[in-house]
Amino acid sequence: MMTGLTPNTYKRLQLNAGVFLKNFDRSTAKDAASLKTLVASAIASNDTCLGATRGGGSFECTPSTRQIEADGMRNAFVGSTVNDGWTVKLKTTLLEATPENFAHALMCAEVTPNNGVTTLKVRTELKDSDYIPSLCWVGDTSEGMVLINLDNALNLTGATFTFQDKGEGTLPVEFQAHQASLEDQEYAPCEIVFFDEAA
């Protein structure tokens, strides 16, 4: 029987649902152990973690390709495919119904706290402050951790809050990354970083 299974297979698996963090500073993480410590601290701080999720999530990095057509061309060939850009997304379903999560889901909302009452008003105008400068997902692998970071993330699908009897409300989000400027287009606005176990 032919199979791709090797002795290393079970050392290379991604495990569990991971965690979504905004504006997470990973600059001092040198390996999986130090990253895990930073993530635990971020979760405890209550202002970085988006909270519990349901159904895990997904990462998409989709190219926008086209073929340069010419007379006599019967097939695509090396050099005839052009990539015009990338659409980069992180998706999940949030279980924690907080003003901050609703504001992110609504894309452009004014959040006004006042003596224990927080009001959200949905704006038409999109402001720079509506973007999440850094949104990342961090997950375990069999022998380390992996982090996927989106620059200037914005939920473009709107808010659909679903609630039910004998159940919990859910808030799906689909964050899309955005370039910071016109001059910064050489790479897609995301990073994927693998952290090995400490040596």
Side-chain angles (χ1 to χ4, degrees):
M1 176 178 73
M2 300 298 293
T3 177
L5 186 66
T6 72
N8 289 320
T9 295
Y10 298 105
K11 300 176 183 179
R12 298 172 174 171
L13 304 178
Q14 190 281 310
L15 307 169
N16 302 314
V19 61
F20 288 82
L21 303 167
K22 58 183 180 180
N23 302 321
F24 172 63
D25 182 6
R26 67 178 194 276
S27 59
T28 59
K30 305 300 182 195
D31 52 35
S34 58
L35 179 64
K36 190 169 287 191
T37 301
L38 290 173
V39 169
S41 177
I43 292 171
S45 73
N46 289 328
D47 59 354
T48 303
C49 182
L50 294 185
T53 60
R54 175 169 289 163
S58 65
F59 166 67
E60 296 176 10
C61 190
T62 310
S64 176
T65 59
R66 60 185 170 87
Q67 291 294 322
I68 299 174
E69 300 291 339
D71 292 340
M73 182 177 170
R74 301 295 183 259
N75 301 296
F77 60 93
V78 174
S80 69
T81 302
V82 176
N83 182 13
D84 287 328
W86 293 93
T87 301
V88 184
K89 296 180 180 181
L90 271 175
K91 301 179 185 179
T92 193
T93 298
L94 300 172
L95 274 179
E96 298 190 20
T98 65
E100 293 76 18
N101 282 348
F102 262 89
H104 293 316
L106 291 165
M107 185 178 74
C108 46
E110 216 63 57
V111 181
T112 309
N114 184 17
N115 295 324
V117 176
T118 303
T119 304
L120 279 72
K121 296 191 78 171
V122 185
R123 278 187 271 105
T124 300
E125 178 190 4
L126 186 60
K127 298 180 180 179
D128 289 351
S129 59
D130 293 317
Y131 294 85
I132 302 172
S134 168
L135 177 71
C136 71
W137 168 84
V138 183
D140 295 305
T141 63
S142 298
E143 292 192 336
M145 296 183 80
V146 59
L147 179 149
I148 300 173
N149 185 75
L150 268 58
D151 297 333
N152 306 302
L154 198 64
N155 178 48
L156 300 180
T157 58
T160 304
F161 184 51
T162 304
F163 35 87
Q164 59 182 329
D165 187 32
K166 297 181 181 178
E168 299 76 37
T170 55
L171 186 62
V173 285
E174 185 175 305
F175 292 103
Q176 183 170 323
H178 293 75
Q179 294 291 155
S181 67
L182 289 172
E183 291 77 30
D184 185 25
Q185 298 191 69
E186 185 178 358
Y187 297 99
C190 66
E191 276 187 317
I192 305 165
V193 186
F194 285 85
F195 292 84
D196 294 334
E197 286 183 312

